[in-house]
Amino acid sequence: MRTVKVEKADGIAWTFLNRPEKRNAMSPTLHFEMDAVLAELETDPEVRCVVITGAGQAFSAGQDLKEFFRELDGKPAETKRATEAANRWRWDRLYNYDKPTIAMVNGFCVGGAFMQLMACDFAVAAEDATFSLSEINWGIIPGGLVARVMTEALGYRDALDLCLTGRSFDGKEAARLRLVNEAVPPDALRDRTTALARLLMSKDPEAYRATKIAVRRVRSMSFEQAYDYLGAKMEELRQRTGGRAQRDGIAQFVDEKAYKPVQGSFTHGQ
C-alpha cells in the first residue's frame, strides 16, 4: 500500500491515511487502497475494532484537488471508478461495518474528510484539531452525503452555519456541537481512543453489530415500522448467537452473580 498504513495491536487495527506530506488529502489511489483495506479488516479474525486516523499532523485535508479533480477532468470512466471507491469506503463500508469503528481526529479534518468522520460509530478529537467544511469557499457544495448527514448529527442552524460559512473551528467546539463524541488534550488522544476501543471490544460482537444497525435504521421509520423491524432484528440476533445472551448472560447475572449489567458485559460464550 502506497497511501494507507495499518498497525495491529491487541485487537485494534490502527488504519492511517498515509500521505502526511499532503496532510492526507485523498487521492484516487488512496480511495482504492482504503476500500480494499477496510474490506480485508472486516473479516480479519485478529481485528475487533478499527480506528481511522491520519499519519503525521492531519486527519485529512479532504479530497486532493489536483489528483482527484484536475487530473480526472475529461476522464469519465476513471472519475466514476474513483468516485465509487471514495463513496464506498467512506460511507457504505464504514456506516454498515460489522466491527466497531472510531475516527481519531489528530489535526486537520476538512471537506470530504467529514464523510468518514460521520460514518464511524464514534469520534474522538484532539482539542486543537482544526475542522472546516470549506467547499463554499471555493464555490461548490459539501460532497458526498455530508450535507445530508450534518443536518442529522447537528442542529439545523449549526449545520447551516458550518456549511454556509466554511469557517474553521477546533476540537472543543466540535465536541460542543456533537460532531465528535469528545475532545481531549493532544497528548491524551491515543490513550483515550485505546480505552474506548477496549470498551467496545468487550461487548458481544453480534449484539454490537445488531444494535448499531438497528439504531441507524429505525431513525427513518414510523413507530409501527420500528416495532416490527426491531422485533425481527431481535429474532435475527437470537438465531445468529444461538441464544447465548439469554443463556450465558442471565446465568452469570442470576445464578453466578458474576457481573452487573450496568457495569460491564457478560463473559461471551462460544
Side-chain angles (χ1 to χ4, degrees):
M1 294 292 175
R2 293 163 44 201
T3 64
V4 177
K5 179 176 65 174
V6 178
E7 297 174 357
K8 299 179 188 177
D10 301 320
I12 306 171
W14 299 88
T15 307
F16 296 85
L17 279 63
N18 192 27
R19 303 183 75 210
E21 73 286 356
K22 298 288 187 180
R23 289 182 174 172
N24 300 314
M26 297 176 289
S27 65
T29 298
L30 184 145
H31 290 309
F32 294 134
E33 292 186 349
M34 278 296 296
D35 191 35
V37 164
L38 288 177
E40 180 178 343
L41 294 177
E42 191 168 25
T43 56
D44 186 334
E46 295 181 1
V47 174
R48 291 179 288 135
C49 180
V50 173
V51 175
I52 306 295
T53 190
Q57 302 302 309
F59 179 71
S60 174
Q63 297 285 21
D64 187 312
L65 302 185
K66 178 176 179 288
E67 294 191 28
F68 193 85
F69 292 106
R70 178 178 289 174
E71 293 183 2
L72 293 183
D73 189 33
K75 301 176 181 178
E78 293 182 32
T79 298
K80 179 177 174 61
R81 288 182 60 243
T83 300
E84 287 177 345
N87 291 338
R88 187 164 52 242
W89 83 261
R90 291 183 304 154
W91 190 259
D92 297 339
R93 285 202 191 282
L94 283 176
Y95 192 74
N96 298 292
Y97 215 65
D98 283 348
K99 298 175 179 179
T101 56
I102 305 171
M104 186 176 79
V105 185
N106 53 316
F108 285 94
C109 178
V110 179
F114 275 61
M115 277 277 280
Q116 60 262 38
L117 171 71
M118 305 301 288
C120 285
D121 301 342
F122 292 85
V124 182
E127 292 176 340
D128 63 355
T130 299
F131 296 80
S132 175
L133 279 172
S134 59
E135 286 89 342
I136 190 72
N137 294 333
W138 47 289
I140 65 170
I141 67 173
L145 290 172
V146 172
R148 169 70 171 82
V149 179
M150 289 290 285
T151 60
E152 288 189 350
L154 282 66
Y156 174 66
R157 289 297 178 189
D158 290 324
L160 278 178
D161 169 18
L162 301 185
C163 290
L164 293 177
T165 66
R167 67 179 179 85
S168 64
F169 55 99
D170 63 15
K172 291 181 180 179
E173 184 172 0
R176 180 182 66 78
L177 293 169
R178 305 304 296 155
L179 185 67
V180 300
N181 294 90
E182 60 183 307
V184 298
D187 59 1
L189 182 60
R190 177 127 180 173
D191 286 346
R192 179 65 191 111
T193 303
T194 300
L196 175 59
R198 287 174 177 164
L199 172 63
L200 302 181
M201 291 188 297
S202 74
K203 309 306 177 185
D204 181 90
E206 288 289 352
Y208 185 97
R209 170 186 171 276
T211 302
K212 171 167 66 174
I213 293 174
V215 171
R216 287 179 165 164
R217 295 291 188 271
V218 297
R219 293 196 303 173
S220 61
M221 296 181 186
S222 68
F223 284 100
E224 291 77 11
Q225 291 170 324
Y227 271 126
D228 288 342
Y229 176 81
L230 293 172
K233 204 69 182 170
M234 181 66 77
E235 183 58 33
E236 177 198 358
L237 179 60
R238 290 194 191 98
Q239 292 293 325
R240 289 176 66 95
T241 64
R244 69 169 173 244
Q246 289 187 342
R247 182 184 66 248
D248 297 345
I250 293 177
Q252 290 171 31
F253 176 69
V254 174
D255 303 324
E256 303 168 21
K257 299 185 177 2
Y259 91 111
K260 298 179 180 179
V262 298
Q263 297 178 357
S265 299
F266 71 95
T267 303
H268 309 152
Q270 299 298 321

